[in-house]
């Protein structure tokens, strides 16, 4: 079991998942998002390669258009 802090809230996962899987599980696919992992921006091209580990801190920002 791993514990990850996402936007200040701790969540548990049964096993390590990559950022692409995290996006799918949280219905964020197709949205304009930015993800910061442990203080560093994760390029979209690395979402499938970056596996989350116990103690990671994510900040997820979803861009919202308006006028």
């Amino acid at each position: 079991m791993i514990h990850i802090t996402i936007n200040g809230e701790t969540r548990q996962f049964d096993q390590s998942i990559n950022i692409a899987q995290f996006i799918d599980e949280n219905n964020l696919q197709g949205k304009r998002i930015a993800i910061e992992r442990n203080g560093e921006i994760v390029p979209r091209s690395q979402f499938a390669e970056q596996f989350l580990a116990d103690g990671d801190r994510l900040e997820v920002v979803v861009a919202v258009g308006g006028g």
Side-chain angles (χ1 to χ4, degrees):
M1 177 125 347
I2 64 170
H3 298 85
I4 298 170
T5 303
I6 303 165
N7 292 350
E9 187 175 313
T10 301
R11 291 194 35 201
Q12 295 182 152
F13 295 89
D14 291 333
Q15 60 189 12
S16 181
I17 62 172
N18 65 33
I19 292 177
Q21 292 168 316
F22 168 80
I23 290 168
D24 287 343
E25 287 184 12
N26 289 278
N27 298 316
L28 296 171
Q29 61 272 43
K31 297 186 179 182
R32 297 178 61 195
I33 61 172
I35 296 184
E36 179 183 279
R37 178 181 180 206
N38 301 326
E40 294 187 23
I41 297 291
V42 179
R44 186 174 298 274
S45 62
Q46 293 182 10
F47 283 178
E49 301 166 8
Q50 294 271 331
F51 277 83
L52 302 176
D54 192 45
D56 276 353
R57 300 182 64 81
L58 291 183
E59 291 295 325
V60 181
V61 177
V62 180
V64 178

